[in-house]
Amino acid sequence: MLRWVRQQLGFDPPHQSDTRTIYIANRFPQHGHYVPQKFADNRIISSKYTVWNFVPKNLFEQFRRVANFYFLIIFLVQLMIDTPTSPITSGLPLFFVITVTAIKQGYEDWLRHKADNEVNGAPVYVVRSGGLVKTRSKNIRVGDIVRVAKDETFPVDLVLLSSDRVDGSCHVTTASLDGETNLKTHVAVPETAVLQSVANLDKLVAVIECQQPEADLYRFVGRITVSQQTEEIVRPLGPESLLLRGARLKNTKEIFGVAVYTGMETKMALNYKSKSQKRSAVEKSMNSFLIIYLIILLFEAILSTILKYAWQAEEKWDEPWYNGKTEHERNSSKILRFISDFLAFLVLYNFIIPISLYVTVEMQKFLGSFFIGWDLDLYHKETNQRAQVNTSDLNEELGQVEYVFTDKTGTLTENEMQFRECSINGIKYQEINGKLTPEGFSEDSPDGNRHSLMREEELFLKAVCLCHTVQINADQTDGADGPWHANGIASPLEYYASSPDEKALVEAASRVGVVFTGTSGDSMEVKSLGKPERYKLLHVLEFDPNRRRMSVIVESPSGEKLLFTKGAESSILPRSKSGEIDKTRIHVDEFALKGLRTLCIAYRRFTPEEYQEIGKRLHEARTALQQREERLADVFNFIERDLELLGATGVEDKLQEKVQETIEALRLAGIKVWVLTGDKHETAVSVSLSCGHFHRTMNILELVQHKSDSTCAEQLRQLAKRIKEDHVIQHGLVVDGTSLSLALREHEKLFMEVCKNCSAVLCCRMAPLQKAKVVRLLKTSPEKPITLAIGDGANDVSMIQEAHVGIGIMGKEGRQAVRNSDYAIARFKFLSKLLFVHGHFYYIRIATLVQYFFYKNVCFITPQFLYQFFCLFSQQTLYDSVYLTLYNICFTSLPVLIYSLFEQHVHPHVLQSKPVLYRDISKNAHLGFKPFLYWTILGFFHAFVFFYGSYLLMGEDTSLLGNGQMFGNWTFGTLVFTVMVITVTMKMALETHFWTWINHFVTWGSIVFYFIFSLFYGGIIWPFLHTQDMYFVFVQLLSSGSAWFAIILIVVACLFIDVLKKVLYRHLQPTSTEKAQLTEAGSGINCLDSMCCFSDGETACTSVRRMLERLMGRCSPTRVNRSWSSSDPFYANDRSILTLSTMDSPTC
């Protein structure tokens, strides 16, 4: 019970030690006082709430928001003191907002619970009591032996005990964990590999000691002690023995494994990353505006309270004859009365803070994010992948990007490798028609058509075929003589590899005569010019980013022990003592200048004594439980030395489609592009030139190969001086990882100054954390620019998470980047539409939404403030309580929400073909202080017109009602409210450029709904209402002709100034966007003198209407034939489904 309570409260019992001891099949020692360790059960919990904590936890989270907490305080004040308005006026909107948000979050969490229950209830087979028992996934315990069949997913993290193969190996794919679709081989230790039946496994007595759970998918340190008769055998366990939850068994009939990590302690669960909350610039502006409006509210409340007491200083106004004070009021404290009055005014004016703003913004972001996934222009047909939104909180940030940081491999390039050239023993070779041909020879020349390989060439190709982690499709390896078609012709082998480079090299070797035909047990089989050879695989020294190389130790058919190593030239050449080192170095640089990815290959022969020493050291390092990685690194360095260089390879990585056009478009939009890559200097520069990141005319500056602070600082000063002198020329900067570390350590300011004056920056030889450091450096600079990072691999995750907006490419380097990103797209070229169209629209929509909300609430509350001057500051409300409650919830909420979802002030094609329009919205241009001031002043102006217009036209005449009755305060307040609802709705209509039937329905429908509601509310006596001040008020108001005249006159007076301002600004100071609206016809819309088309039967007013609509930049989509020429840049046929209405019109 206690454990259940702790789980519900989210407490995890702390682990007592750094390692865990697991008794296989839970056979605990019988002797001594053994206390078994406690482990988590196998339930996966991705949900946020439980039935018990949903209400308190959700309420706590919602009331952490300033606006919600503020309205809660106002509601409590209304309950505690006598206030002019009912507590319902604050309580109902607050309840509505809280309820809507709670329902949304509750529904999302219910879906998570549903998914969890499906996973936790999946059937599994466990070995218990000498047989296979079917149970549910959530019932698996640490120590249970689990059976998994082919194509099933592993339900826990298992240590492999045995498989249906004699060598105890199995193949798995980890696509759901890291996106890598290649087959990975996992092996069991020899002592358990032979136990292939349930009966044998039930007799196994063994103990596993391993590290406590950690998130790293590729790290596992442990050892297994197997008791056999009188002896105990200890074997090391590493990542090759661990089968991860979420991975899938392939090409193997069944395996047995022991559960070591369960439930929320599995590596998959530990990688459920709770991302740090990113806040958009719009959200920050919104909070600033709230504070300003809070200050306005306090000022109005304090001023009203002071004026009330100033007015009441006169005896006749302090206690008029018609409103005498009670004895209690006369004797109460003046300070308490002042506070009470201040709070009453605070309640009266509190609607100036828009409570429904947050819920509307949340709905707009959530619903608006679907447009990205639905956009067919962001769909990649070849891979059947569409754009993905992982967080909708940053939609508008896509319209504010100033810096783009991009990876190279797999982001700008395809990550599809093709073998191009190689260097063997100092001679360059090319592959021509499946043959290795030395440079300078053609296929027809005497030496270009050889059928045999020289010794050096054969050894080089064998090294390529043996030093890798490539797998072959299991269906092709069955059979003694290799893969054959039914007609007797050999079929090409299908290779799987985690690295595209390795796959390209092994395929190239097979084409020229040295074929890797697969593995059998601990042997690797190679066919050299048709002659099969078998090499015994002794050890694999795995690749790691620090060493930048991998090695294998094999025993040749002749019994020789050989080490084959391949890796970056910076890690191989310094460790080579013989071979054509200088010539190979030159060739590597030449390959890099052509934009090829380079690898160097070397080997070493061991004497029996050397091999014995190596085997001993490797065993000690691999069985260590503490500091295993450091010990292994030392041993690997000891082994990989005194190498003999064989040669180098050059593999081409193709550029993705339209990369050059996309980078040029980003530059035109005022966005600076930085390329951050781990590739070597020459390769990176070559690719930068080919993709248009660097121009041929650009002055390329270099900050590379610096070893000391002083030389780095001197070079930076020289570069800064050179930029100042050549200020007319465009500059590009190349920095490498080591120089960058020095520059960031002591000379950060100088380095940033140089970078900001360069139009393109390339950082090569970058470690993943260095990428994040560069992004953070720019993000936190004094200008605080909005940054975007885009990448496709696990090494890009840190910079993707660091940037304001992180975008993952659905590439071939796994899905970690996609999982940790805010948005995911299939190709780099889609970035242009994501920013220039979606980003532009999202920003314009939400900027207008936020400012319109503040505007309409100023319009709402200012007449209430002005009314106090006419009612002796008695806190009499101008509007009925129902109107106060429903103004933001019903009467004015839908038009702005629909606008914020569908508005397109310029056609998507124009935005994409004219990237310069992106500059109009940069640096939060539409949510700056000037636009905010304009909307606020406009709100106050309209409010004054509503109040004083109604007062001048109707207030002095008391007998203008149709039945001769007097014109009372409720009628006056209703007149002001009616004018206000119509005006703020019409103001939204003026801001709308893109009209759909939904816009028409909600805009005119809101006004109609207000009239119908008021007629019913005031026309019927409702039995559940305590008082009904509005009975027949609205009907009487509408029966007055002068009231109708006043409504029309005041609405026109309010909006005329706004229309005039728009017309004058469009003529005198048009922005690039407004020019694009006026000239959109020239971009492909078939209209003559207007951006709108009209039918033949036009009225006499049509020319005026046409001019006004052109000036307002508005067009009805039903009247436009948007036909784009095939020569238009980027997307010739815009297939965006953002348009809701028909696009074709026969009248154009």
Side-chain angles (χ1 to χ4, degrees):
M1 181 65 187
L2 183 62
R3 187 180 174 191
W4 181 84
V5 170
R6 289 175 67 82
Q7 284 175 348
Q8 293 303 309
L9 294 172
F11 296 125
D12 259 334
H15 295 297
Q16 300 301 317
S17 65
D18 294 333
T19 60
R20 55 170 53 188
T21 305
I22 298 151
Y23 291 87
I24 293 178
N26 291 308
R27 286 196 180 86
F28 303 118
Q30 301 301 315
H31 55 84
H33 300 284
Y34 171 73
V35 180
Q37 288 176 289
K38 287 184 180 178
F39 304 116
D41 60 27
N42 197 38
R43 286 184 306 151
I44 285 289
I45 303 168
S46 62
S47 54
K48 194 175 178 181
Y49 306 107
T50 65
V51 174
W52 313 104
N53 70 11
F54 175 72
V55 173
K57 196 172 181 180
N58 187 264
L59 286 176
F60 173 72
E61 286 175 356
Q62 291 207 56
F63 283 118
R64 283 165 67 185
R65 281 186 167 170
V66 176
N68 288 350
F69 185 70
Y70 160 77
F71 271 92
L72 178 66
I73 297 297
I74 293 293
F75 176 63
L76 294 175
V77 167
Q78 285 179 295
L79 289 174
M80 288 188 290
I81 67 168
D82 183 22
T83 55
T85 56
S86 163
I88 294 171
T89 57
S90 294
L92 194 62
L94 179 65
F95 177 76
F96 174 76
V97 169
I98 295 294
T99 305
V100 167
T101 309
I103 289 169
K104 172 181 168 282
Q105 292 176 353
Y107 174 70
E108 288 172 352
D109 207 61
W110 176 76
L111 292 177
R112 286 193 285 266
H113 270 285
K114 195 177 173 186
D116 288 347
N117 292 337
E118 203 173 307
V119 171
N120 294 332
V124 292
Y125 287 92
V126 178
V127 177
R128 283 181 188 160
S129 307
L132 272 181
V133 178
K134 187 177 180 180
T135 183
R136 290 185 175 187
S137 174
K138 64 181 180 183
N139 297 329
I140 298 174
R141 298 169 296 171
V142 170
D144 279 346
I145 299 173
V146 182
R147 191 204 76 170
V148 180
K150 184 180 177 182
D151 290 329
E152 287 183 354
T153 301
F154 299 117
V156 288
D157 287 353
L158 301 164
V159 165
L160 180 59
L161 294 177
S162 66
S163 73
D164 62 315
R165 299 181 182 184
V166 179
D167 61 357
S169 67
C170 70
H171 296 300
V172 304
T173 175
T174 56
S176 62
L177 295 171
D178 57 13
E180 294 177 6
T181 53
N182 60 294
L183 295 180
K184 295 183 174 70
T185 304
H186 291 258
V187 289
V189 297
E191 285 72 25
T192 63
V194 295
L195 307 175
Q196 293 180 306
S197 68
V198 173
N200 289 336
L201 281 166
D202 197 48
K203 296 171 188 172
L204 174 65
V205 179
V207 180
I208 291 174
E209 290 174 87
C210 62
Q211 63 191 137
Q212 292 292 3
E214 65 170 21
D216 191 340
L217 293 174
Y218 310 106
R219 187 173 183 272
F220 177 67
V221 178
R223 65 181 173 213
I224 183 169
T225 306
V226 183
S227 301
Q228 288 187 345
Q229 294 165 356
T230 55
E231 63 173 337
E232 289 187 343
I233 301 167
V234 180
R235 295 283 183 186
L237 297 174
E240 72 285 347
S241 306
L242 187 68
L243 305 171
L244 300 178
R245 178 175 189 147
R248 193 178 289 273
L249 185 64
K250 289 283 186 183
N251 294 1
T252 312
K253 287 176 185 172
E254 66 173 13
I255 65 99
F256 289 95
V258 59
V260 287
Y261 304 130
T262 49
M264 297 308 291
E265 292 183 340
T266 56
K267 288 184 181 287
M268 183 183 79
L270 293 172
N271 274 276
Y272 289 156
K273 190 172 185 319
S274 53
K275 298 193 193 93
S276 58
Q277 190 66 33
K278 294 182 179 180
R279 292 175 66 214
S280 69
V282 169
E283 194 177 333
K284 291 170 189 171
S285 298
M286 208 160 76
N287 289 340
S288 305
F289 298 161
L290 272 174
I291 290 167
I292 292 169
Y293 271 70
L294 202 58
I295 292 166
I296 293 172
L297 169 66
L298 291 171
F299 170 75
E300 287 185 350
I302 292 167
L303 181 65
S304 298
T305 311
I306 292 169
L307 287 174
K308 176 179 181 176
Y309 282 93
W311 208 304
Q312 288 181 355
E314 292 183 48
E315 184 97 20
K316 62 175 181 176
W317 296 123
D318 183 34
E319 194 176 349
W321 60 270
Y322 56 83
N323 192 14
K325 290 182 180 179
T326 62
E327 195 65 34
H328 175 72
E329 284 174 331
R330 287 195 190 96
N331 297 330
S332 62
S333 163
K334 286 188 177 181
I335 295 171
L336 286 176
R337 267 189 293 157
F338 185 90
I339 293 169
S340 176
D341 284 329
F342 168 73
L343 291 174
F345 280 118
L346 206 64
V347 166
L348 195 62
Y349 305 146
N350 79 82
F351 284 96
I352 198 169
I353 306 294
I355 185 173
S356 53
L357 173 61
Y358 277 115
V359 76
T360 309
V361 166
E362 240 181 57
M363 287 170 71
Q364 188 269 346
K365 287 182 174 183
F366 175 69
L367 296 173
S369 64
F370 286 105
F371 288 123
I372 292 176
W374 291 339
D375 191 346
L376 294 175
D377 282 333
L378 301 182
Y379 169 72
H380 193 242
K381 192 175 181 181
E382 287 79 4
T383 55
N384 191 30
Q385 289 170 328
R386 61 179 188 173
Q388 188 177 310
V389 180
N390 295 331
T391 173
S392 59
D393 293 339
L394 303 169
N395 293 342
E396 64 278 2
E397 208 80 331
L398 293 169
Q400 295 295 297
V401 175
E402 295 171 61
Y403 282 86
V404 167
F405 298 92
T406 174
D407 177 40
K408 182 183 76 65
T409 307
T411 305
L412 300 178
T413 61
E414 287 282 7
N415 206 8
E416 276 183 12
M417 308 302 172
Q418 292 178 328
F419 176 80
R420 289 290 178 227
E421 296 182 64
C422 65
S423 169
I424 304 173
N425 202 30
I427 301 168
K428 275 207 287 188
Y429 291 81
Q430 290 178 320
E431 185 192 353
I432 301 176
N433 294 331
K435 295 182 180 67
L436 269 188
T437 307
E439 192 178 47
F441 292 91
S442 68
E443 193 183 358
D444 302 326
S445 60
D447 289 338
N449 197 12
R450 299 169 301 152
H451 292 284
S452 62
L453 295 167
M454 293 170 62
R455 178 187 166 276
E456 292 87 355
E457 295 170 357
E458 190 175 1
L459 187 60
F460 174 85
L461 292 170
K462 282 180 181 176
V464 167
C465 284
L466 293 169
C467 186
H468 58 72
T469 56
V470 174
Q471 300 293 330
I472 296 175
N473 190 336
D475 299 335
Q476 294 183 310
T477 58
D478 296 340
D481 298 322
W484 295 88
H485 283 308
N487 58 8
I489 300 169
S491 67
L493 288 163
E494 188 180 352
Y495 294 113
Y496 296 95
S498 54
S499 163
D501 300 71
E502 284 191 338
K503 186 182 176 189
L505 291 173
V506 172
E507 286 174 342
S510 70
R511 289 195 298 270
V512 297
V514 181
V515 185
F516 168 63
T517 57
T519 56
S520 174
D522 58 356
S523 297
M524 299 180 79
E525 294 167 5
V526 174
K527 275 188 182 177
S528 180
L529 297 175
K531 179 188 166 188
E533 294 180 8
R534 180 170 288 195
Y535 288 80
K536 187 178 181 183
L537 182 62
L538 301 171
H539 296 285
V540 178
L541 313 188
E542 297 84 0
F543 174 86
D544 70 66
N546 298 321
R547 283 169 44 243
R548 295 178 69 83
R549 60 185 181 271
M550 79 157 287
S551 303
V552 293
I553 301 174
V554 295
E555 185 180 319
S556 69
S558 62
E560 266 190 308
K561 305 291 194 299
L562 300 171
L563 169 82
F564 290 112
T565 302
K566 73 170 180 201
E569 90 288 345
S570 60
S571 68
I572 299 291
L573 295 181
R575 310 184 80 80
S576 302
K577 68 170 186 178
S578 58
E580 296 289 347
I581 297 171
D582 294 330
K583 283 184 181 178
T584 304
R585 185 179 275 115
I586 292 166
H587 290 166
V588 166
D589 290 341
E590 287 174 7
F591 294 163
L593 285 170
K594 293 177 185 176
L596 303 181
R597 291 164 64 89
T598 58
L599 284 173
C600 286
I601 294 173
Y603 84 113
R604 178 185 173 187
R605 298 176 193 273
F606 294 122
T607 63
E609 293 78 17
E610 284 175 331
Y611 177 71
Q612 198 172 354
E613 171 70 12
I614 285 164
K616 184 184 170 187
R617 287 195 178 202
L618 271 174
H619 182 73
E620 286 175 0
R622 282 187 163 143
T623 52
L625 278 180
Q626 304 297 327
Q627 297 179 323
R628 183 182 289 185
E629 284 85 357
E630 292 82 353
R631 293 189 188 186
L632 280 173
D634 292 340
V635 176
F636 289 173
N637 286 329
F638 172 74
I639 297 169
E640 296 165 331
R641 61 191 174 93
D642 301 334
L643 303 173
E644 187 175 332
L645 188 63
L646 290 171
T649 60
V651 176
E652 183 186 38
D653 190 3
K654 268 194 322 184
L655 273 181
Q656 284 188 21
E657 188 188 1
K658 291 185 178 175
V659 164
Q660 197 163 351
E661 294 96 320
T662 306
I663 289 177
E664 186 56 37
L666 291 171
R667 193 174 281 122
L668 286 171
I671 298 170
K672 289 189 176 181
V673 180
W674 288 34
V675 176
L676 312 180
T677 178
D679 272 358
K680 70 192 300 287
H681 173 209
E682 293 81 2
T683 308
V685 171
S686 175
V687 172
S688 276
L689 285 165
S690 64
C691 73
H693 179 235
F694 284 165
H695 288 302
R696 298 285 171 189
T697 56
M698 203 178 265
N699 183 17
I700 296 177
L701 311 172
E702 292 191 345
L703 183 69
V704 293
Q705 294 178 347
H706 288 286
K707 304 292 183 191
S708 67
D709 274 344
S710 55
T711 58
C712 183
E714 183 56 35
Q715 179 70 5
L716 275 170
R717 288 188 199 99
Q718 287 179 10
L719 294 177
K721 185 181 176 184
R722 194 168 159 189
I723 288 168
K724 281 180 185 173
E725 290 169 357
D726 304 336
H727 56 87
V728 180
I729 305 170
Q730 276 195 326
H731 298 281
L733 178 67
V734 183
V735 194
D736 65 5
T738 52
S739 304
L740 182 76
S741 298
L742 294 170
L744 295 184
R745 195 184 305 157
E746 298 289 337
H747 318 289
E748 196 176 285
K749 197 174 178 183
L750 186 57
F751 174 68
M752 284 307 300
E753 188 185 328
V754 171
C755 287
K756 284 178 183 176
N757 289 317
C758 293
S759 49
V761 178
L762 168 65
C763 302
C764 53
R765 290 289 191 219
M766 296 281 284
L769 284 176
Q770 281 183 311
K771 290 183 178 185
K773 205 176 278 184
V774 169
V775 176
R776 191 183 309 122
L777 180 68
L778 213 74
K779 194 171 95 170
T780 55
S781 62
E783 294 83 10
K784 295 202 170 9
I786 303 298
T787 57
L788 178 147
I790 180 167
D792 73 317
N795 60 330
D796 302 315
V797 169
S798 51
M799 78 167 177
I800 283 171
Q801 290 182 328
E802 185 61 50
H804 291 96
V805 182
I807 295 185
I809 296 279
M810 301 166 187
K812 295 177 180 156
E813 285 192 22
R815 286 300 170 98
Q816 285 199 29
V818 171
R819 285 209 322 269
N820 288 281
S821 64
D822 304 306
Y823 302 89
I825 51 178
R827 287 292 180 271
F828 183 79
K829 67 177 181 180
F830 296 152
L831 186 63
S832 61
K833 181 152 196 190
L834 194 65
L835 298 186
F836 303 153
V837 179
H838 290 284
H840 201 117
F841 284 157
Y842 285 136
Y843 178 73
I844 290 291
R845 291 165 182 169
I846 203 160
T848 308
L849 182 149
V850 169
Q851 306 205 87
Y852 176 78
F853 251 94
F854 285 109
Y855 152 80
K856 73 185 179 81
N857 279 47
V858 167
C859 289
F860 183 36
I861 284 306
T862 305
Q864 181 79 69
F865 172 68
L866 296 174
Y867 185 59
Q868 296 308 303
F869 287 88
F870 292 83
C871 67
L872 208 60
F873 293 93
S874 60
Q875 297 147 12
Q876 169 63 39
T877 177
L878 179 62
Y879 315 121
D880 184 70
S881 292
V882 172
Y883 286 161
L884 278 171
T885 306
L886 297 183
Y887 175 75
N888 276 318
I889 294 175
C890 295
F891 300 144
T892 59
S893 58
L894 278 179
V896 67
L897 177 62
I898 297 302
Y899 168 93
S900 67
L901 290 174
F902 300 133
E903 172 65 357
Q904 296 181 30
H905 61 304
V906 182
H907 191 270
H909 180 85
V910 177
L911 285 176
Q912 195 161 358
S913 59
K914 293 183 179 178
V916 73
L917 297 179
Y918 193 80
R919 294 174 185 248
D920 275 3
I921 59 166
S922 62
K923 298 189 184 296
N924 208 10
H926 288 252
L927 269 177
F929 185 68
K930 280 186 179 178
F932 168 70
L933 196 62
Y934 165 72
W935 279 91
T936 303
I937 290 171
L938 185 69
F940 278 114
F941 167 72
H942 282 181
F944 272 80
V945 175
F946 299 154
F947 185 82
Y948 287 109
S950 300
Y951 180 74
L952 292 172
L953 290 170
M954 307 293 290
E956 294 297 325
D957 194 332
T958 57
S959 60
L960 280 179
L961 292 178
N963 60 1
Q965 284 187 353
M966 291 179 69
F967 204 88
N969 68 312
W970 289 118
T971 314
F972 176 72
T974 305
L975 176 65
V976 173
F977 192 83
T978 303
V979 170
M980 178 172 59
V981 168
I982 295 170
T983 305
V984 297
T985 306
M986 292 294 291
K987 171 63 181 166
M988 190 75 263
L990 281 177
E991 293 300 314
T992 306
H993 297 89
F994 185 79
W995 284 90
T996 66
W997 67 266
I998 301 178
N999 292 80
H1000 283 292
F1001 179 76
V1002 298
T1003 302
W1004 316 121
S1006 292
I1007 296 172
V1008 171
F1009 172 75
Y1010 165 69
F1011 276 89
I1012 292 171
F1013 173 83
S1014 297
L1015 286 169
F1016 271 93
Y1017 173 57
I1020 300 170
I1021 295 177
W1022 300 99
F1024 53 83
L1025 290 178
H1026 179 59
T1027 59
Q1028 200 161 345
D1029 298 321
M1030 294 296 293
Y1031 182 65
F1032 240 69
V1033 168
F1034 196 71
V1035 176
Q1036 289 176 345
L1037 180 69
L1038 296 187
S1039 68
S1040 168
S1042 51
W1044 282 101
F1045 174 74
I1047 290 170
I1048 294 165
L1049 192 65
I1050 294 168
V1051 170
V1052 171
C1054 285
L1055 297 178
F1056 177 75
I1057 304 294
D1058 205 38
V1059 172
L1060 190 68
K1061 179 250 178 192
K1062 281 179 179 287
V1063 170
L1064 290 175
Y1065 265 77
R1066 280 176 182 274
H1067 267 297
L1068 304 175
Q1069 288 183 326
T1071 62
S1072 303
T1073 305
E1074 287 164 348
K1075 286 175 186 173
Q1077 289 170 342
L1078 293 172
T1079 59
E1080 197 170 304
S1083 299
I1085 297 178
N1086 300 329
C1087 304
L1088 298 173
D1089 60 343
S1090 169
M1091 67 169 289
C1092 295
C1093 306
F1094 296 91
S1095 55
D1096 296 332
E1098 293 177 332
T1099 64
C1101 301
T1102 299
S1103 58
V1104 177
R1105 182 180 66 187
R1106 185 183 300 166
M1107 183 194 74
L1108 277 172
E1109 290 201 311
R1110 188 170 67 197
L1111 289 169
M1112 298 301 291
R1114 178 176 296 104
C1115 184
S1116 173
T1118 56
R1119 300 188 174 194
V1120 178
N1121 176 20
R1122 286 171 170 154
S1123 58
W1124 311 106
S1125 68
S1126 58
S1127 60
D1128 283 341
F1130 298 102
Y1131 299 93
N1133 62 325
D1134 188 79
R1135 298 174 294 157
S1136 170
I1137 65 156
L1138 295 174
T1139 303
L1140 296 177
S1141 304
T1142 175
M1143 289 288 112
D1144 298 317
S1145 172
T1147 62
C1148 289

